[in-house]
């Protein structure tokens, strides 16, 4: 089938985003690749979001709308996929927007390189946004390489859990669904999709624009709950899933990077004054000393990480004090030099 004959279904989740939704939908309507089916899922909005969805659907025949009771992003995405007709599936959060050539370039990468998944970088927009330095390169990654980049958060390429930075050929995700009632659901969805795909294309171009720290965003609410009920269980599941599918070393690396995240969570909780949350992280890691020490003997573990973890396992409180002293004294001195 020629590229121009392929249909892309884009699932847009929308909940109380009347201020942002028009920009998102306008960016999809303006895509240079026109064989686009845009499915907007109004997830029980109580503002004018639902009316905006209906107005756009009335004006653009490529847009269809699902109105449903509020069930969260996972349920909204699942509802959209159920009616999608596309050969490829993409996801967009309704408060973000995409560059005009995003789906044309991602589909071209899939068809030219004959891969079932394309992944792009993204641009953060808003207060606290990180600067990026894209190369514009398009790279072919085999399954193991893609999983390693994803798991190890490598600087050269960045494959994030977010599904909105990806385009999936339909057959790759037919047996994958989002866990309803959960947040951070992209962690396992992306893990399973990359395991299913023999290879993928990585486009080092920020085609997606992601709103940072939008007031009222789900990412700013209930930090303790999100991390302990969603993120930590999903990172744990990632390790188990990789091991079950024969990726033993990648499973070990997944655990190593899980431990790195937990050290960050510990520091973040302590800094925020969330003592009980920090205590739970400390108890969890110190309860796994044997496994951690075994993994941290691996050649891929950075020397600095070994030292940090050794200090933490000896005394989480001393670890916290040392890190804060380093941030307060050493980093400013280095900046002056």
């Amino acid at each position: 089938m020629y590229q121009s004959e392929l249909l892309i279904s884009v699932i847009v989740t929308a909940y109380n985003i009347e201020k942002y939704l028009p920009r998102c939908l306008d960016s999809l309507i303006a895509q240079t690749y026109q064989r686009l089916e845009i499915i907007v899922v109004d997830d029980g909005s109580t503002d004018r979001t639902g009316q905006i969805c209906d107005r756009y659907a009335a004006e653009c025949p490529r847009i269809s709308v699902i109105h449903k009771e509020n069930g969260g992003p996972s349920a909204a995405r699942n509802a959209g996929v159920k009616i999608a007709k596309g050969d490829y599936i993409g996801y967009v959060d309704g408060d973000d927007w995409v560059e005009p050539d995003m789906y044309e370039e991602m589909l071209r990468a899939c068809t030219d390189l004959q891969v079932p998944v394309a992944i792009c970088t993204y641009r953060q927009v808003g207060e606290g946004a990180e600067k990026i330095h894209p190369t514009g390169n398009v790279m072919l990654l085999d399954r193991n390489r893609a999983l390693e980049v994803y798991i190890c958060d490598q600087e050269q390429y960045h494959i994030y859990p977010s599904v909105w930075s990806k385009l999936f050929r339909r057959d790759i995700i037919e047996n994958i669904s989002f866990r309803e009632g959960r947040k951070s659901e992209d962690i396992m969805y992306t893990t399973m999709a990359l395991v299913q795909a023999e290879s993928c294309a990585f486009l080092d171009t920020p085609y997606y624009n992601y709103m940072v720290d939008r007031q009222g965003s789900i990412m700013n609410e209930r930090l303790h709950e999100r991390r302990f009920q969603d993120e930590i269980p999903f990172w744990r599941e990632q390790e188990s899933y990789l091991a079950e599918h024969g990726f033993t070393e990648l499973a070990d690396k997944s655990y190593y990077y899980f431990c790195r995240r937990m050290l960050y969570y510990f520091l973040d909780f302590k800094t925020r004054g969330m003592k009980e949350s920090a205590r739970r992280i400390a108890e969890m890691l110190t309860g796994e000393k044997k496994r951690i020490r075994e993994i941290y003997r691996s050649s891929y573990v950075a020397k600095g990480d070994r030292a940090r973890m050794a200090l933490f396992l000896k005394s989480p409180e001393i670890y916290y004090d040392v890190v804060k002293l380093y941030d307060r004294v050493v980093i400013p001195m280095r900046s002056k030099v």
Side-chain angles (χ1 to χ4, degrees):
M1 186 178 291
Y2 293 106
Q3 177 181 323
S4 60
E5 297 175 353
L6 295 168
L7 177 66
I8 298 175
S9 295
V10 181
I11 317 300
V12 182
T13 52
Y15 175 69
N16 287 353
I17 50 169
E18 59 180 16
K19 179 180 177 181
Y20 305 97
L21 186 58
R23 177 180 60 189
C24 174
L25 296 181
D26 286 341
S27 75
L28 291 171
I29 292 170
Q31 286 294 293
T32 54
Y33 190 80
Q34 289 288 295
R35 286 222 69 206
L36 218 62
E37 174 190 46
I38 305 166
I39 302 171
V40 191
V41 185
D42 169 27
D43 191 30
S45 299
T46 56
D47 64 358
R48 295 180 56 255
T49 294
Q51 299 172 37
I52 294 170
C53 292
D54 291 337
R55 174 166 61 82
Y56 269 83
E59 295 173 355
C60 178
R62 290 182 293 152
I63 295 179
S64 58
V65 179
I66 298 173
H67 296 285
K68 61 182 291 296
E69 292 183 3
N70 181 254
S74 294
R77 287 169 174 169
N78 287 338
V81 170
K82 283 181 181 178
I83 69 166
K85 302 181 181 67
D87 303 289
Y88 286 79
I89 306 292
Y91 298 97
V92 172
D93 288 351
D95 50 352
D96 301 331
W97 75 99
V98 300
E99 294 300 313
D101 55 344
M102 173 172 169
Y103 286 110
E104 180 174 11
E105 294 304 324
M106 293 182 81
L107 182 61
R108 176 178 287 117
C110 284
T111 54
D112 286 355
L113 298 177
Q114 297 184 329
V115 296
V117 179
I119 303 164
C120 70
T121 56
Y122 69 93
R123 181 182 295 104
Q124 294 182 344
V125 181
E127 187 176 349
E130 300 175 358
K131 292 183 179 179
I132 58 173
H133 304 284
T135 64
N137 294 335
V138 178
M139 289 151 282
L140 174 66
L141 303 176
D142 65 25
R143 180 190 284 121
N144 280 65
R145 182 69 176 128
L147 283 167
E148 182 158 7
V149 170
Y150 173 49
I151 291 163
C152 301
D153 193 24
Q154 296 187 1
E155 291 186 8
Q156 185 179 6
Y157 317 122
H158 286 288
I159 298 179
Y160 298 92
S162 54
V163 294
W164 38 250
S165 60
K166 301 168 182 67
L167 182 65
F168 303 98
R169 199 174 66 204
R170 190 185 192 96
D171 61 297
I172 288 295
I173 58 168
E174 275 185 333
N175 297 317
I176 304 174
S177 60
F178 294 95
R179 309 288 177 77
E180 299 191 9
R182 303 282 297 278
K183 304 178 185 70
S184 304
E185 66 282 358
D186 292 15
I187 293 171
M188 278 308 299
Y189 192 98
T190 294
T191 301
M192 291 187 284
L194 291 179
V195 167
Q196 293 295 319
E198 292 186 2
S199 55
C200 67
F202 178 82
L203 294 79
D204 192 14
T205 301
Y207 290 115
Y208 193 94
N209 297 286
Y210 169 68
M211 284 290 293
V212 179
D213 291 335
R214 179 174 62 82
Q215 185 176 3
S217 170
I218 202 170
M219 298 302 286
N220 291 331
E221 300 172 359
R222 301 184 295 276
L223 185 64
H224 174 97
E225 177 184 334
R226 175 164 58 85
R227 284 180 172 170
F228 281 98
Q229 293 187 17
D230 296 300
E231 290 184 7
I232 290 175
F234 277 135
W235 292 123
R236 295 279 202 189
E237 185 180 348
Q238 181 189 72
E239 180 197 351
S240 299
Y241 185 85
L242 290 169
E244 290 168 3
H245 286 76
F247 299 96
T248 306
E249 184 174 322
L250 286 172
D252 289 344
K253 287 183 178 180
S254 174
Y255 183 70
Y256 164 43
Y257 278 86
F258 169 80
C259 291
R260 283 168 50 109
R261 287 187 187 91
M262 294 309 103
L263 289 185
Y264 167 75
Y265 286 1
F266 173 79
L267 292 172
D268 190 41
F269 283 137
K270 287 278 285 185
T271 303
R272 293 171 184 265
M274 300 172 67
K275 296 180 180 179
E276 177 61 21
S277 300
R279 183 190 63 79
R280 283 188 59 180
I281 294 291
E283 288 182 351
M284 179 178 65
L285 289 180
T286 54
E288 300 177 20
K289 283 183 180 180
K290 184 178 179 180
R291 175 84 198 284
I292 290 172
R293 285 169 175 159
E294 178 183 311
I295 292 295
Y296 271 63
R297 286 197 292 267
S298 302
S299 60
Y300 51 77
V301 175
K303 290 182 180 179
D305 285 343
R306 285 197 188 102
R308 280 185 282 272
M309 182 56 78
L311 179 58
F312 179 88
L313 293 178
K314 183 176 181 180
S315 171
E317 293 302 323
I318 293 177
Y319 170 76
Y320 177 77
D321 291 339
V322 168
V323 170
K324 288 302 172 182
L325 180 64
Y326 182 88
D327 291 344
R328 189 170 63 251
V329 177
V330 178
I331 292 179
M333 288 178 61
R334 285 185 172 180
S335 298
K336 289 180 182 179
V337 173

